[in-house]
Amino acid sequence: MLDKPGKSLLIAIIVLIAFGIAAPATHAQNNKPASPHPRLYYTPQRIQAFKAKIDADPKIKQAWTEMLTRAERLLDEDLVSIEYAESGSGQHGNYGRPSSQISNMGTTLGLAYQMTANSKYAEKLRRAMIHFGQLKRWAGDAQRDPPWNSELNTARFCFGYAVGYDSIRSCLSETDKTAIVAAMVQRGILPTLNDWILPEKRIHALDSMGHNWWSVCVAMAGAASLSVLEDEPQASGWVDSIAQGFPEWFAYQGNVLQNKSRNFDRNGAFYESVGYADYALSEYLLFLLAYSNVFPDAPSPAIPMLKDAGDFFVNASYPTSSSLLSANFGDSSINASGAKTLRLLLANGFDKPAYHWYLTKTDPGLRDPISIVSTKITETPIPPANLPKSVIYPDIGWAMMRSSWTDNATMLAVKSGFAWNHAHPDAGSFILFHKGKSLIIDSGNCSYSRREYTDYYRQSKAHNVILTDGQAENPEACGGPDRGVVHPGALAHLMDLAGIKYVLADATGPTSWKFSRNYRHFLWIDNLILVLDDIRTHEPGQLEWLLHFEGRAEQNAPGIRLSNGDKAAAIVRPLFPKNMAVAKKTGLKNHNPDMQVEYLAFTPPDKSRDMKFITAILPLENPEDKPNAQLELLEADEMIGVRISRDKEITDVFLNLRADGRRMHRNSNNIVQGWNTDAAIFGITRPAGAPDDPDSITRCFVICGSYLRKNGKVVMDSLSKVYSIFQTENGEMNVTLRGQPITNCRIRAKTKPKTAILNSRKTTLNWDNSTATVTFAVTGRQAN
């Protein structure tokens, strides 16, 4: 029989295994370090390999020359005074400058000493560590209850000391060793672990502070603990506690009662933003790299999510001819980069060709002492051919769709997820990159100490959403109380096939204090994007469809012409409701709250509760071009739609108004221009001049429908409602199908196809000659 502690340990192991994470053994206590100092990053083997790279690669040689020049400058740099550091107040006090200085000196001077054996670098580093060890604390004082003893600057101090001490330990006197280790333990390691890890004094949970803090603070205390394994008897136990804690942090699924989000999407994306994903992950990977170097024969903590975590940065990126931009939802920037994380993933053995391409486009780490020693990057100017053009992260509510991976293509990014802390109240919002520029933008953020950060940037009005009487998400989510959301937004049913891309954004949950329906369909057809909104509010109000843009917006009947620079332009054309006014609003510039900028609001003529919006966005190949598609609004009884006409084809898109919740105990059956269906939205493409008949279809999509038929011919049939795009071309039927866990769907082809592709995989051709249909059977995750 297991006693109570034994049962608790067994339960913990079972929970970790359920998430594919094995509970790590206590390696630090059971193993001795494999080599003498330095062993965290600048191991003798890595230093020898780095010297060989300098001899072989002119770029590395130049980078090392510049790094050594920076080391020389650091020798002459005055240390931040104790008086200045201890004179600040608040969460971070005045500890930013000294912590950054010792972090920079620890990595740069530490490497310079190991490469040259010149004692002047070690002496400057020794004096810096003795100096900052005189500080009373390595953390600001925000007067919290209970008091906090550690923060992000503490982590930076720990890191600088860890690398610095590890690099020059062999030339320190016993007196200096004792003083430096005491400073690390008393100012950095124990204050951090007592706040975040150790049961006797811990005050934080995994989610008590914006979720990156746990990783940053704990990982850097771990690096410091690894550096003093021989000097501090408790260090091995600290290392084991940290290593065992990280699988829990990666597996954290959120907190319903206190409105906290899970940390990571099932596919590896971090919920806070691109910038904070890089911060949180890179700090852990620094600890993991040091841990692996110190204990090369011991298995690292098993965290399967790491194999895909770097993909988030790639998928959220937008390549231009000069740089790589990023989707900047939340507290981030379009210039935010995951380069540090990707370099450290490579250093830890998580290698993918896309990471080398990303680093070639951004920052290969030639100025980063640890990366230049630890990471081998293959210059890759062209993105891998197998990168997906459309990606969804359903657990955090992000999706990215793009025309291609070539530089300066078109990318649409959509967010509908959680709101709290660094994740803004932006459910249903979107941004658009085109021709190397941002055209439709997120308003961004500013310094967190400015009142505008909460009063504007973290309000719904700062995002491309729909307001009723000036409101969307409850201001308490990210405003004053910062309470988060009870019901997050969601994205679902991403599809990309045959020139059609689709994703559904559900913003109803976080806006439910004002809205009972707030659904936004993004439908990208060839080079035209339709945004279809299905809105119902609790009370009649003035609706506003917001549009934040970068550059210029000019009235260009029948729409708005956006332009940014001399190449990027698009037409935004509201199609329904008709006769909307365009109001100019005043917002604040991204990262500059002192500068006002203009944004637009499309407003229907009257207050209303129920409304459908149809808005077309047409990116232009050249700014002076006119759109190459003609748009016609279609209206009939309980139907609205759009006809998209080009030279050789016509695509009709229909919205079945009976599918908007008005018929709950009957199906949403409707006959739309002879098409009999229960679908919420469907679209048909046929050659121009061809009859409007199922056998003229060249491609079709169905959104939330179980059947589509006309003229006695079944085009699509499923007992449950599905989301699907399908096309038959050159004897191949290609189908994307999303729906229930078990779905059997029949789809028509004019003639029997030779092959069938379902959700990008070849499948058995189940042809029924009597109905001219192929049956597709979907089970499990394929149907999600």
Side-chain angles (χ1 to χ4, degrees):
M1 294 287 292
L2 288 172
D3 59 8
K4 188 173 181 180
K7 289 180 180 178
S8 299
L9 178 60
L10 178 60
I11 291 170
I13 291 172
I14 291 171
V15 170
L16 291 171
I17 291 172
F19 287 103
I21 298 171
T26 54
H27 296 303
Q29 295 187 73
N30 296 334
N31 293 275
K32 291 184 177 180
S35 61
H37 295 268
R39 56 186 177 224
L40 300 188
Y41 307 107
Y42 306 145
T43 65
Q45 297 85 354
R46 291 185 184 273
I47 292 296
Q48 184 177 358
F50 181 47
K51 290 179 177 179
K53 285 200 296 183
I54 291 172
D55 293 336
D57 188 333
K59 287 185 179 179
I60 299 295
K61 183 176 182 179
Q62 178 63 29
W64 166 239
T65 300
E66 294 173 1
M67 197 171 294
L68 201 57
T69 300
R70 291 198 299 275
E72 291 293 323
R73 288 199 296 267
L74 288 174
L75 294 177
D76 297 326
E77 189 174 288
D78 292 334
L79 298 174
V80 177
S81 71
I82 302 296
E83 294 73 21
Y84 169 82
E86 293 184 340
S87 66
S89 61
Q91 178 169 278
H92 300 298
N94 279 356
Y95 293 102
R97 278 182 56 201
S99 64
S100 295
Q101 187 176 51
I102 192 61
S103 177
N104 191 19
M105 286 184 171
T107 54
T108 305
L109 294 177
L111 179 59
Y113 175 68
Q114 286 301 317
M115 289 289 290
T116 67
N118 192 322
S119 62
K120 64 181 180 180
Y121 302 117
E123 174 57 22
K124 178 72 176 193
L125 189 48
R126 183 197 69 82
R127 286 195 289 111
M129 289 190 286
I130 295 294
H131 173 77
F132 292 123
Q134 300 175 59
L135 291 169
K136 296 176 183 177
R137 55 190 285 136
W138 286 353
D141 182 5
Q143 300 296 317
R144 289 188 167 95
D145 179 22
W148 293 17
N149 303 292
S150 61
E151 41 102 349
L152 301 178
N153 286 312
T154 317
R156 201 175 291 120
F157 273 116
C158 282
F159 178 64
Y161 268 71
V163 183
Y165 181 68
D166 182 57
S167 299
I168 67 169
R169 183 181 183 276
S170 61
C171 63
L172 293 173
S173 69
E174 291 302 318
T175 300
D176 287 339
K177 288 179 187 177
T178 300
I180 292 169
V181 170
M184 259 196 282
V185 171
Q186 296 167 16
R187 308 284 187 273
I189 297 173
L190 275 180
T192 300
L193 298 186
N194 283 334
D195 278 1
W196 301 89
I197 289 286
L198 299 179
E200 294 79 11
K201 295 185 179 181
R202 182 175 58 81
I203 60 175
H204 290 296
L206 286 172
D207 60 5
S208 59
M209 186 60 180
H211 299 193
N212 67 85
W213 274 58
W214 198 95
S215 174
V216 172
C217 293
V218 173
M220 295 300 93
S225 298
L226 284 166
S227 74
V228 298
L229 282 173
E230 290 122 328
D231 305 291
E232 169 53 58
Q234 298 182 82
S236 60
W238 298 337
V239 170
D240 283 335
S241 295
I242 291 165
Q244 292 174 33
F246 265 103
E248 295 186 51
W249 181 76
F250 277 94
Y252 176 76
Q253 297 293 293
N255 181 335
V256 172
L257 188 62
Q258 295 181 325
N259 299 343
K260 300 293 180 69
S261 169
R262 63 189 290 163
N263 283 343
F264 286 89
D265 183 274
R266 72 193 72 168
N267 297 321
F270 186 67
Y271 92 97
E272 286 185 335
S273 69
V274 169
Y276 279 106
D278 185 58
Y279 190 24
L281 281 167
S282 64
E283 301 298 279
Y284 169 69
L285 291 166
L286 281 168
F287 167 72
L288 179 61
L289 181 60
Y291 185 97
S292 301
N293 286 337
V294 172
F295 303 114
D297 298 325
S300 300
I303 303 174
M305 191 176 294
L306 288 175
K307 68 181 177 61
D308 295 322
D311 297 1
F312 175 53
F313 302 105
V314 176
N315 291 325
S317 72
Y318 174 71
T320 76
S321 52
S322 60
S323 65
L324 205 64
L325 305 178
S326 292
N328 64 321
F329 298 121
D331 287 333
S332 192
S333 162
I334 63 169
N335 296 310
S337 166
K340 185 176 181 181
T341 292
L342 293 186
R343 295 195 304 264
L344 287 165
L345 282 168
L346 291 176
N348 279 286
F350 299 96
D351 196 336
K352 293 187 179 183
Y355 299 173
H356 295 268
W357 166 76
Y358 188 102
L359 293 169
T360 301
K361 290 283 289 186
T362 54
D363 179 7
L366 298 181
R367 293 178 58 85
D368 177 1
I370 290 177
S371 290
I372 202 170
V373 170
S374 304
T375 306
K376 181 180 180 180
I377 299 169
T378 302
E379 190 165 326
T380 308
I382 305 298
N386 63 347
L387 287 180
K389 289 191 289 186
S390 296
V391 173
I392 188 170
Y393 292 98
D395 299 320
I396 66 165
W398 285 46
M400 281 68 66
M401 300 176 283
R402 66 187 75 230
S403 58
S404 77
W405 277 97
T406 59
D407 290 348
N408 308 321
T410 306
M411 185 177 91
L412 174 70
V414 180
K415 182 178 175 237
S416 190
F418 204 82
W420 176 65
N421 198 38
H422 297 301
H424 290 191
D426 51 6
S429 189
F430 66 100
I431 56 179
L432 181 72
F433 295 92
H434 179 60
K435 292 293 181 181
K437 298 285 187 177
S438 53
L439 274 178
I440 299 175
I441 65 168
D442 185 275
S443 291
N445 57 83
C446 68
S447 170
Y448 304 155
S449 63
R450 294 284 297 255
R451 65 173 179 80
E452 294 91 347
Y453 172 64
T454 293
D455 291 349
Y456 177 72
Y457 295 101
R458 290 204 301 165
Q459 298 294 325
S460 294
K461 64 184 178 182
H463 305 93
N464 298 308
V465 299
I466 291 175
L467 307 181
T468 178
D469 290 337
Q471 300 286 355
E473 297 192 44
N474 193 320
E476 286 192 350
C478 285
D482 211 10
R483 289 181 175 269
V485 294
V486 176
H487 305 294
L491 293 182
H493 306 303
L494 178 75
M495 300 187 289
D496 186 347
L497 183 70
I500 298 173
K501 308 176 197 294
Y502 170 84
V503 73
L504 168 64
D506 177 4
T508 308
T511 63
S512 58
W513 72 308
K514 294 291 183 181
F515 293 76
S516 57
R517 291 181 71 83
N518 192 350
Y519 299 105
R520 175 165 269 184
H521 305 266
F522 292 90
L523 185 58
W524 188 342
I525 302 175
D526 300 322
N527 58 354
L528 174 149
I529 300 167
L530 292 176
V531 183
L532 313 171
D533 292 290
D534 177 2
I535 300 297
R536 182 175 172 84
T537 60
H538 301 312
E539 301 292 339
Q542 181 59 63
L543 297 171
E544 296 177 285
W545 197 99
L546 301 188
L547 182 68
H548 294 263
F549 59 89
E550 184 79 20
R552 301 177 61 187
E554 303 167 295
Q555 191 76 38
N556 185 13
I560 301 293
R561 184 181 184 276
L562 303 180
S563 61
N564 186 7
D566 58 359
K567 294 182 179 179
I571 301 296
V572 179
R573 182 178 170 186
L575 296 167
F576 191 88
K578 294 181 286 188
N579 303 316
M580 282 202 294
V582 181
K584 295 182 178 180
K585 301 276 187 173
T586 300
L588 301 178
K589 190 172 178 60
N590 187 1
H591 287 87
N592 186 357
D594 295 320
M595 179 177 290
Q596 294 184 340
V597 295
E598 180 182 286
Y599 68 96
L600 303 179
F602 300 121
T603 58
D606 301 309
K607 292 187 175 184
S608 58
R609 286 190 66 194
D610 288 280
M611 184 59 67
K612 306 294 182 286
F613 290 86
I614 303 179
T615 308
I617 302 172
L618 301 98
L620 301 178
E621 184 62 28
N622 296 295
E624 64 275 8
D625 288 352
K626 293 183 178 180
N628 66 353
Q630 296 181 343
L631 305 179
E632 176 188 353
L633 180 65
L634 305 175
E635 294 183 272
D637 185 33
E638 295 186 292
M639 182 279 291
I640 55 176
V642 183
R643 173 162 291 172
I644 306 167
S645 299
R646 294 184 174 85
D647 291 339
K648 297 182 179 180
E649 68 178 19
I650 293 172
T651 299
D652 288 334
V653 178
F654 301 104
L655 282 73
N656 175 9
L657 301 185
R658 289 186 172 185
D660 66 358
R662 66 185 66 180
R663 289 164 62 107
M664 291 298 292
H665 294 284
R666 292 174 291 163
N667 198 5
S668 48
N669 316 90
N670 205 347
I671 298 177
V672 177
Q673 293 192 359
W675 295 94
N676 194 334
T677 190
D678 62 355
I681 305 172
F682 70 99
I684 304 293
T685 298
R686 67 182 189 275
D692 191 9
D693 180 83
D695 288 338
S696 298
I697 293 174
T698 59
R699 64 183 176 183
C700 179
F701 65 87
V702 174
I703 305 301
C704 193
S706 74
Y707 67 88
L708 178 65
R709 50 188 181 255
K710 186 174 185 178
N711 299 340
K713 302 169 185 176
V714 175
V715 177
M716 189 279 295
D717 180 77
S718 168
L719 291 179
S720 60
K721 293 186 177 180
V722 300
Y723 294 68
S724 184
I725 303 172
F726 47 94
Q727 177 186 57
T728 302
E729 186 176 54
N730 300 322
E732 179 178 271
M733 176 174 274
N734 206 337
V735 176
T736 293
L737 188 61
R738 306 281 186 261
Q740 297 301 317
I742 299 176
T743 301
N744 292 285
C745 183
R746 295 189 298 164
I747 297 176
R748 182 179 180 83
K750 184 177 180 180
T751 59
K752 181 180 178 180
K754 297 177 183 177
T755 57
I757 306 294
L758 174 62
N759 294 335
S760 302
R761 295 182 179 181
K762 190 173 182 179
T763 189
T764 303
L765 182 68
N766 296 311
W767 172 256
D768 184 338
N769 195 57
S770 64
T771 59
T773 59
V774 178
T775 298
F776 294 90
V778 180
T779 58
R781 291 192 64 178
Q782 280 194 99
N784 292 336

